[in-house]
Amino acid sequence: MFTNGLVLGAVMNFAGGDVIVQLLSFLLLLWAIKKFAWGPLMKMMKDREEFVANEIDNAEKSRQEAAKLLEEQRVLLKEARNDAQELIDRAKQQADAQRETIIDDARKDAERIKNSALVEIEQQKEKAVATIRDQVTSLSVLIASKVIEKELNEQDQEKLIHDYIQEVGEKR
């Protein structure tokens, strides 16, 4: 047991000094890690955290801006569609108005042509009547002169008139 006690005492003395040295070494190592590693590591972590937060903020701002631009584009597209529909409606109205104008003009032209034709027909009719009157007058004068030249009986006069009428009819 004596040996055991000495060994145990020596181990205790020896172990106690080592423990203090190890404890001091450990504390010195902790201080060095804190000063040279932990501080820069924490600074890096803080910088990284700020960077990520900024990126999230920028992404949110970009998303909001994109949503705003999308809404603006939707409004502009709706306005463009409305403008296009208005243009189509105006074009249809103009086409309808032009169609009505063309139809009215055509009706007026047809009426004018019809009236002109009726006037021309009436003029031609009057000319024809005047020509027939002139021919009848000439024929009457001719017949009368022939009748006067010859004294004929009633039968001969009728035959002569009939022959002259046929002659005038064939000349026409």
Side-chain angles (χ1 to χ4, degrees):
M1 276 241 215
F2 177 67
T3 36
N4 272 347
L6 219 194
V7 171
L8 188 57
V11 170
M12 283 298 267
N13 282 340
F14 182 78
D18 284 342
V19 169
I20 291 177
V21 169
Q22 285 180 356
L23 185 61
L24 286 175
S25 295
F26 182 71
L27 290 175
L28 182 63
L29 181 63
L30 279 179
W31 174 80
I33 287 175
K34 184 179 176 187
K35 180 163 180 132
F36 296 110
W38 189 257
L41 181 63
M42 291 309 284
K43 183 180 182 311
M44 250 179 28
M45 293 299 282
K46 186 177 179 183
D47 289 347
R48 179 72 179 159
E49 181 182 349
E50 288 175 4
F51 175 77
V52 170
N54 286 338
E55 288 297 314
I56 290 172
D57 289 344
N58 288 340
E60 181 63 24
K61 287 177 186 177
S62 294
R63 187 194 62 77
Q64 289 174 352
E65 187 175 323
K68 180 181 172 185
L69 289 174
L70 179 63
E71 187 59 33
E72 288 175 4
Q73 291 301 317
R74 285 182 181 159
V75 168
L76 290 173
L77 182 61
K78 186 176 181 182
E79 288 175 3
R81 284 183 180 155
N82 290 339
D83 290 346
Q85 188 61 43
E86 287 176 14
L87 285 173
I88 290 169
D89 291 342
R90 272 190 261 143
K92 284 180 183 178
Q93 290 173 353
Q94 287 177 348
D96 289 343
Q98 285 179 346
R99 184 186 70 227
E100 291 300 321
T101 301
I102 290 169
I103 289 172
D104 288 344
D105 289 347
R107 285 183 183 148
K108 288 176 184 175
D109 286 346
E111 189 66 29
R112 182 182 49 78
I113 290 169
K114 178 184 164 189
N115 290 337
S116 175
L118 289 174
V119 167
E120 189 175 335
I121 289 170
E122 190 61 34
Q123 289 173 350
Q124 292 298 325
K125 180 181 168 185
E126 288 174 9
K127 281 183 183 179
V129 169
T131 302
I132 290 173
R133 279 188 194 142
D134 289 344
Q135 287 178 356
V136 168
T137 304
S138 297
L139 184 59
S140 296
V141 170
L142 186 62
I143 291 173
S145 68
K146 293 281 184 173
V147 169
I148 293 175
E149 284 179 9
K150 287 185 181 179
E151 282 196 25
L152 302 171
N153 63 20
E154 199 174 304
Q155 255 183 342
D156 290 338
Q157 284 180 1
E158 282 183 26
K159 184 178 183 249
L160 185 62
I161 289 172
H162 183 65
D163 289 344
Y164 279 115
I165 289 174
Q166 277 184 338
E167 187 179 319
V168 169
E170 288 175 5
K171 287 184 181 177
R172 261 201 312 151

